[in-house]
Amino acid sequence: DTGVSQDPRHKITKRGQNVTFRCDPISEHNRLYWYRQTLGQGPEFLTYFQNEAQLEKSRLLSDRFSAERPKGSFSTLEIQRTEQGDSAMYLCASSFPRGEYNEQFFGPGTRLTVL
Amino acid sequence: AQSVTQPDIHITVSEGASLELRCNYSYGATPYLFWYVQSPGQGLQLLLKYFSGDTLVQGIKGFEAEFKRSQSSFNLRKPSVHWSDAAEYFCAVGGGSYQKVTFGIGTKLQVIP
């Protein structure tokens, strides 16, 4: 068990370009979450998957954002036509339901800078 | 809706001094509470968590937190701060239908010699 991994760790792009991030959860975890953290703020929930089904999306997730988890394992988060306001740390977390509450384990994050 | 308030954005303490970081939460049912630490450019590390039982919980790195239902608080404490504790600390509450975590704005801790 190597923990949650995210790739890339850093991404610099120009405004208007598309970017895609990948998250590999802990292997037996069927729940996967994406969060966004902007400078000076705490992480904010973006979206949630249970297996391959996307069950909840935050209002923060505009139509330029799309997330997938095609086989219920890794997930991708794509941002189309990036804007400077998209600059943030994108965090992925995974969990497996055990008992009353399922603790989420966070990855190291992908830091996006939009120039 | 669940929410977390961390009233102190920035705290400075001397090395060796005691520390208390404040956290107040709002949640309609039994809360699941967490403290995370984040060093610059790093991901989130879980310090401790409260699900139920003893209201004083022990965590890693010598941290502890006390759950006080009557005050809706979950303050983080450490008796003697080390320079390596300088980081940003996030209080969080988990719950709801998909058990997403709601974070506070964070408290940045500076440790001076």
Side-chain angles (χ1 to χ4, degrees):
Chain A
D1 180 1
T2 57
V4 178
S5 61
Q6 293 186 243
D7 183 70
R9 294 291 305 276
H10 302 273
K11 178 71 177 178
I12 300 174
T13 191
K14 293 182 179 179
R15 189 177 53 186
Q17 298 294 305
N18 299 345
V19 294
T20 300
F21 310 141
R22 177 180 169 122
C23 170
D24 287 89
I26 295 172
S27 58
E28 70 270 23
H29 287 189
N30 66 337
R31 297 183 176 188
L32 188 145
Y33 304 78
W34 284 98
Y35 294 82
R36 182 173 70 183
Q37 184 179 17
T38 53
L39 202 61
Q41 301 293 320
E44 296 172 290
F45 169 78
L46 289 179
T47 190
Y48 162 69
F49 288 86
Q50 184 163 313
N51 300 311
E52 66 277 6
Q54 187 175 20
L55 298 184
E56 186 174 354
K57 293 195 293 186
S58 161
R59 288 173 297 173
L60 294 175
L61 215 63
S62 76
D63 56 7
R64 295 185 298 106
F65 288 69
S66 62
E68 294 182 341
R69 195 182 182 197
K71 298 181 180 179
S73 57
F74 72 91
S75 175
T76 57
L77 178 68
E78 181 183 14
I79 309 175
Q80 295 183 327
R81 305 180 304 280
T82 52
E83 301 173 356
Q84 289 185 324
D86 297 330
S87 295
M89 174 81 88
Y90 290 84
L91 295 163
C92 175
S94 70
S95 69
F96 184 83
R98 285 191 183 88
E100 190 177 356
Y101 186 82
N102 55 319
E103 178 183 340
Q104 294 177 30
F105 294 82
F106 283 82
T110 294
R111 181 168 293 284
L112 172 67
T113 301
V114 181
L115 302 176
Chain B
Q2 58 202 53
S3 67
V4 175
T5 301
Q6 293 182 250
D8 305 306
I9 303 298
H10 198 141
I11 282 185
T12 300
V13 299
S14 300
E15 191 169 14
S18 63
L19 172 70
E20 183 169 27
L21 301 183
R22 295 183 291 165
C23 172
N24 291 94
Y25 68 89
S26 173
Y27 188 66
T30 301
Y32 302 100
L33 297 163
F34 308 88
W35 275 100
Y36 288 88
V37 62
Q38 187 178 41
S39 297
Q42 301 299 310
L44 294 165
Q45 182 181 22
L46 181 67
L47 284 176
L48 47 78
K49 62 194 177 195
Y50 172 78
F51 288 177
S52 64
D54 193 346
T55 56
L56 184 64
V57 293
Q58 303 296 320
I60 61 171
K61 303 184 180 186
F63 285 92
E64 66 178 25
E66 186 171 12
F67 170 61
K68 293 186 177 179
R69 185 185 298 275
S70 61
Q71 297 176 21
S72 297
S73 69
F74 188 56
N75 294 348
L76 182 72
R77 301 193 294 246
K78 186 169 185 178
S80 177
V81 169
H82 188 261
W83 64 266
S84 61
D85 294 324
E88 191 150 22
Y89 292 80
F90 293 94
C91 181
V93 61
S97 53
Y98 303 121
Q99 297 186 340
K100 63 189 178 193
V101 179
T102 298
F103 290 84
I105 196 170
T107 297
K108 187 167 288 187
L109 174 65
Q110 182 181 8
V111 181
I112 57 176

